[in-house]
Structure formats: C-alpha cells, structure tokens
Amino acid sequence: EPEVTQTPSHQVTQMGQEVILRCVPISNHLYFYWYRQILGQKVEFLVSFYNNEISEKSEIFDDQFSVERPDGSNFTLKIRSTKLEDSAMYFCASRGTSGRVYEQYFGPGTRLTVT
Amino acid sequence: EDKVVQSPLSLVVHEGDTVTLNCSYEVTNFRSLLWYKQEKKAPTFLFMLTSSGIEKKSGRLSSILDKKELFSILNITATQTGDSAVYLCAVSRTSGSRLTFGEGTQLTVNP
C-alpha cells in the first residue's frame, strides 16, 4: 500500500541553524500538508500546498518557515533560524483529488530537537 | 476558531472490554470528521465521516457522526492489547482542507 515517507526520522540542530525536513507524498496525491506536534500537545496544522503554491497557512507558519516542491516527488519544509520552541514532531500528509478525496494520510514524522 | 474536544482523555480497560470514545466539535462550515490511531509516531487513518447516522465499520471498530448534536463516537469491541494507542479526532471545513485535531484519548488495554 502506498505511503508517505519522511526523512530524517530524527534531526538534532543548534538554535539559529537552518533545517530542511523532507517528505515524499503518495505518488498520485496533489495536496500536501505539514503539521507539528509538540510533546504532549495536540497535532497542529502548519501549511497546505497545492498546484505549486501555499493554499492555506496557520498563524504558526511565519516568515521563518517555507515550503517547496523542488521536483516531482519531494515536498520540503525549511525552518530558517530554528528556536528552542520549534522542537516538535513534524508530520507531512497528503491527499488525493479523486476517490477518497478528503482523507489525509500521514508520514511517520521527523522528530526535530533544537538545542 | 474551530474546536475539537475528546473524552475521556485517558482510559484503561482489560482485554475483551468494549470502549466508546467521544468527540465533540465546533467548526464553521463543517465538511468531515476523521478518526486516527496514533501509536508511536504517525497518525494512521481509521475513518472519515461526512453524513449523520451512517455507521462506518472496520472489523472491531465502528464510528458514527451526529451533525445535529455535533459529535462522533468511536467504538471498539473485544479490545486487544494491540488497540493500545492514542485515538485522535479531527475535523475539516468546506473552505480549505486543514485538519483541526482534538487532544486525543489515550487508550490502554491490559491483558
């Protein structure tokens, strides 16, 4: 069964450094998402992406965040200058445009630790 | 602001018990409600509900939505230790497709 994949599974970085989290959505899906989950808290929406542009973003998704689809398969989240409070599990999700259209499928996540 | 409230937050049962997990919501322009199971990492999709009164079923799990009273329940019958997980409820709107999640219910099934 097709699935969303994410790399790396765990990333440790120092405050102020840039990180790029990578995702490969399910191959025929066209809507892509990033969510994050701070330890012990709810899963929170960050951004959605469709047709090579951001379609929706939350108040969390400020100027230090950016997303890109650099090629036909990858979808990336860049955090320009990491802060301690960016430490969280980051999930990528995708959904299709036909059949089970509104079902979002999540990847295994990248645990980001900012020290 | 969209709101999803799950109850109970935590539940401990014995294998073979039946459990009911609750999810109530407030959302502008509701489109759908989704249930996920989260074990160690990624939320795994269980059900999506869009219409009231139609039960969705998968093995020992079933779920139903009440759009008038704005809630959903997830039932698990004959629980097994492998059902131990956090069960997440999320809602989406007709405008945009972001999911708003509840806090989750931590279910522990003891042998």
Side-chain angles (χ1 to χ4, degrees), chain A residues 33 35 37 56 102 104 107, chain B residues 31 36 38 42 97-99:
Chain A
Y33 305 85
Y35 292 83
Q37 187 175 31
E56 194 178 357
Y102 298 113
Q104 291 186 26
Chain B
R31 186 207 304 270
Y36 289 86
Q38 186 176 28
S97 56
R98 68 162 74 183
L99 294 180

Side-chain angles (χ1 to χ4, degrees), chain A residues 7 16-17 27 29 32 48 50-51 75 78 84-86 105:
Chain A
T7 54
Q17 295 296 304
S27 64
H29 284 185
F32 313 120
S48 60
Y50 171 71
N51 202 25
F75 178 51
K78 183 194 286 187
L84 294 176
E85 54 266 37
D86 294 328
Y105 295 90

Side-chain angles (χ1 to χ4, degrees), chain A residues 9 31 33 35 37 41-45 48 56-59 89 91 95 100 102-109, chain B residues 3-4 31-32 34 36 38 40-45 48 56 88 92-93 95-103:
Chain A
S9 57
Y31 288 85
Y33 305 85
Y35 292 83
Q37 187 175 31
Q41 297 187 21
K42 293 183 185 186
V43 176
E44 301 174 289
F45 168 78
S48 60
E56 194 178 357
K57 61 182 180 179
S58 73
E59 50 284 348
M89 184 72 97
F91 294 109
R95 72 171 176 93
R100 296 178 167 181
Y102 298 113
E103 296 174 5
Q104 291 186 26
Y105 295 90
F106 283 72
Chain B
K3 196 172 169 187
V4 178
R31 186 207 304 270
S32 60
L34 295 86
Y36 289 86
Q38 186 176 28
K40 288 182 183 168
K41 286 192 175 178
T44 305
F45 175 81
M48 187 179 77
K56 292 265 180 117
L88 299 172
S92 72
R93 296 178 175 188
S95 53
S97 56
R98 68 162 74 183
L99 294 180
T100 299
F101 282 85
E103 293 170 347

Side-chain angles (χ1 to χ4, degrees), chain B residues 31-97:
Chain B
R31 186 207 304 270
S32 60
L33 184 144
L34 295 86
W35 284 98
Y36 289 86
K37 178 182 182 182
Q38 186 176 28
E39 294 177 90
K40 288 182 183 168
K41 286 192 175 178
T44 305
F45 175 81
L46 295 174
F47 297 114
M48 187 179 77
L49 303 144
T50 54
S51 302
S52 278
I54 299 172
E55 187 184 48
K56 292 265 180 117
K57 205 166 163 60
S58 175
R60 295 176 294 102
L61 276 67
S62 63
S63 183
I64 199 158
L65 175 68
D66 185 328
K67 287 168 75 173
K68 186 177 172 191
E69 299 298 329
L70 308 183
F71 78 91
S72 173
I73 59 172
L74 175 68
N75 280 320
I76 308 175
T77 58
T79 51
Q80 302 170 357
T81 54
D83 295 327
S84 295
V86 175
Y87 289 83
L88 299 172
C89 174
V91 294
S92 72
R93 296 178 175 188
T94 53
S95 53
S97 56

Side-chain angles (χ1 to χ4, degrees), chain B residues 2-28:
Chain B
D2 299 344
K3 196 172 169 187
V4 178
V5 177
Q6 292 186 244
S7 63
L9 293 180
S10 179
L11 189 55
V12 181
V13 300
H14 291 289
E15 260 190 325
D17 288 351
T18 292
V19 297
T20 298
L21 310 183
N22 303 293
C23 175
S24 65
Y25 63 89
E26 293 172 24
V27 61
T28 307

Side-chain angles (χ1 to χ4, degrees), chain A residues 13-51:
Chain A
T13 189
Q14 287 191 325
M15 203 165 51
Q17 295 296 304
E18 174 182 286
V19 294
I20 298 176
L21 310 183
R22 291 184 166 80
C23 168
V24 179
I26 293 171
S27 64
N28 61 345
H29 284 185
L30 296 178
Y31 288 85
F32 313 120
Y33 305 85
W34 284 101
Y35 292 83
R36 78 172 185 191
Q37 187 175 31
I38 295 170
L39 190 63
Q41 297 187 21
K42 293 183 185 186
V43 176
E44 301 174 289
F45 168 78
L46 291 177
V47 66
S48 60
F49 191 87
Y50 171 71
N51 202 25

